[in-house]
Amino acid sequence: MRIEALHAREVAMRLIAPFETSFGITHDRRILLIELVTDQGSGWGEVTAPEAPFYNSETVDTAWLVLRDFLAPLVLGRAFTGPEELPAAMAPVRGHEMAKASIENAAWHAQAVHSGVALGHLLGGTRAAIECGVSLGIHRDIPALLDRIDRELGAGYRRIKLKIKPGSDVKVVSAVRQRFPQIHLTVDANSAYTLDDLPLLQRLDEYELDYIEQPLAWNEIYEHTALQKQLKTALCLDECIHNLRDTQAAIEMGACRVINIKLGRVSGHGEARRIQQYCLERDVPVWCGGMLESGIGRAHNIAMSSLPGFVLPGDVSASRRYWTKDLIEPEVTVNADGTIAVPTSPGLGYAIDTDFLLSRTVRTETWKRAASVAAG
Ligand code: OSB
Ligand code: MG
């Protein structure tokens, strides 16, 4: 495939309800989409970077700039035998995984459409349906949280993840566990604690959590090793994991026993697949995380989650939990048994609702190969 152009598009979307984590509250999402045009058709990818650099170092605006000034010039006008070759082409740029993932994933989408196969199938997916959990933001009102969990369980979701932060942790977990003694329950701190909080984190051992997600700093695999040694509950790393090497380091050092794979954070389908393969060979359970994506990013997450290593319910859930209307048709729905059917039609398996997309678009830019280079 020869890459002819990149169309960047920012879409303004508002979440049905604000989502609170230890690092802040999100209500409005600036969804950045990349349409990659090749000589064999086009594909779409979503930049999963947040609005502010409080989860990782990337933002919507840093991604736009890095895509325009550095990544687009590395791929435009070049011919690749397939999407597998894109990471090497973009390797001169350090970091900026979420920006890179949008290009690579768009190329996977284009390849799937061109080959007439479903994206999940192209990636090596084997599941007909993926298991779904939900991630619930910090709630100040515990009875309201319990009602919310009741509704999510009623909708079929198989695992409940609670966002925690200092001051909103043990008490909340204790109330939830008391009301729901049997459910698969996890917590996610988004790096809100330090090793000084060991006694508090050890109290979480009482509640039979499936795992504790990213309690310590976003860039601290080493300290998670020290923590994991002192906890019964498994740790799961999210923010720390950018690639296979981080995964190997974390598993070999005993920093965690579970891995959260996010397509954006690990720079795309290729690296995500390497991580799931490594974990599968070592019986390390992985699951697919989310970044409050639109349906386009969600469809990519569903395709990746159909690979064999994804043995735990992820954070990929129904469109209607986020949006009054999604960018795709049909929207993502969850079956009564808490699963999402993996599409079998060619490409993403969902159509983009172009009229709706246009109505929410706030800026677009098209990047093509520089004329002088093209002439030479
Ligand atoms: O840590 O998994 C996280 C949302 C934004 C940033 C980080 C995280 C999250 C979530 C929500 O937990 C996942 C989702 O529902 O898409
Ligand atoms: Mg997380």
Side-chain angles (χ1 to χ4, degrees):
M1 56 168 65
R2 190 184 160 84
I3 298 181
E4 316 267 0
L6 267 81
H7 298 300
R9 172 185 301 275
E10 181 180 332
V11 184
M13 300 273 280
R14 167 156 275 219
L15 291 168
I16 284 174
F19 187 81
E20 182 168 352
T21 66
S22 64
F23 57 79
I25 302 177
T26 304
H27 202 177
D28 292 298
R29 289 283 356 262
R30 297 172 58 196
I31 301 286
L32 177 48
L33 300 171
I34 293 294
E35 184 185 4
L36 184 80
V37 182
T38 80
D39 60 342
Q40 303 176 344
S42 74
W44 290 74
E46 180 164 337
V47 175
T48 61
E51 291 68 29
F54 304 146
Y55 163 79
N56 64 338
S57 62
E58 294 185 80
T59 73
V60 177
D61 291 310
T62 66
W64 187 288
L65 181 143
V66 167
L67 280 158
R68 183 192 63 198
D69 294 351
F70 302 105
L71 293 172
L74 289 173
V75 299
L76 282 169
R78 291 189 55 184
F80 299 94
T81 57
E84 301 83 351
E85 291 187 350
L86 280 159
M90 295 189 281
V93 172
R94 304 288 190 243
H96 298 283
E97 290 86 358
M98 291 172 166
K100 289 175 179 171
S102 66
I103 293 183
E104 191 200 317
N105 292 352
W108 281 102
H109 177 207
Q111 178 74 56
V113 173
H114 179 69
S115 307
V117 298
L119 178 60
H121 180 76
L122 180 65
L123 292 165
T126 51
R127 275 165 220 283
I130 66 163
E131 288 191 79
C132 309
V134 293
S135 172
L136 299 180
I138 290 166
H139 284 59
R140 273 168 191 72
D141 179 346
I142 293 183
L145 172 63
L146 297 176
D147 284 351
R148 176 80 189 275
I149 295 172
D150 223 13
R151 283 204 303 281
E152 304 288 10
L153 295 170
Y157 289 106
R158 297 181 176 200
R159 173 278 257 152
I160 301 292
K161 159 170 145 183
L162 306 172
K163 290 291 191 180
I164 58 166
K165 66 174 183 182
S168 180
D169 42 45
V170 177
K171 204 169 129 206
V172 179
V173 173
S174 161
V176 171
R177 187 45 104 196
Q178 198 173 352
R179 169 79 181 276
F180 304 100
Q182 304 292 344
I183 62 170
H184 287 286
L185 185 64
T186 74
V187 294
D188 184 0
N190 289 110
S191 301
Y193 298 88
T194 70
L195 282 176
D196 292 342
D197 299 308
L198 179 64
L200 183 141
L201 293 167
Q202 281 175 323
R203 286 175 61 199
L204 291 174
D205 268 342
E206 275 174 54
Y207 301 101
E208 298 197 62
L209 302 174
D210 287 3
Y211 48 82
I212 299 170
E213 185 176 342
Q214 194 73 37
L216 307 180
W218 62 283
N219 55 356
E220 262 297 346
I221 293 177
Y222 180 76
E223 288 191 351
H224 280 95
T225 303
L227 178 60
Q228 181 67 91
K229 284 195 183 108
Q230 315 223 45
L231 290 179
K232 283 194 297 227
T233 311
L235 293 178
C236 168
L237 289 181
D238 173 351
E239 280 88 331
C240 282
I241 304 295
H242 298 274
N243 48 49
L244 175 61
R245 281 295 302 129
D246 290 339
T247 307
Q248 290 173 324
I251 296 302
E252 287 175 25
M253 288 163 71
C256 67
R257 301 203 289 263
V258 179
I259 298 283
N260 168 341
I261 295 181
K262 286 184 183 170
L263 279 179
R265 198 192 62 235
V266 306
S267 80
H269 283 301
E271 196 69 10
R273 204 161 63 164
R274 276 189 284 279
I275 295 171
Q276 75 84 31
Q277 186 64 37
Y278 170 89
C279 289
L280 182 65
E281 284 162 7
R282 285 156 189 81
D283 273 328
V284 175
V286 312
W287 55 277
C288 185
M291 289 298 294
L292 310 172
E293 289 95 340
S294 83
I296 294 170
R298 204 165 290 281
H300 278 284
N301 288 340
I302 294 167
M304 178 46 61
S305 303
S306 71
L307 270 70
F310 288 80
V311 297
L312 296 176
D315 279 349
V316 183
S317 60
S319 297
R320 69 148 74 119
R321 295 189 60 258
Y322 304 83
W323 320 112
T324 38
K325 179 163 174 22
D326 204 339
L327 299 177
I328 54 167
E329 280 281 340
E331 61 174 33
V332 174
T333 55
V334 165
N335 304 316
D337 67 350
T339 64
I340 294 173
V342 178
T344 52
S345 54
L348 290 180
Y350 300 88
I352 294 167
D353 183 337
T354 312
D355 289 342
F356 182 61
L357 182 73
L358 290 174
S359 76
R360 292 298 171 92
T361 296
V362 294
R363 63 167 165 166
T364 59
E365 249 174 54
T366 295
W367 304 316
K368 289 194 169 141
R369 197 177 171 202
S372 57
V373 182

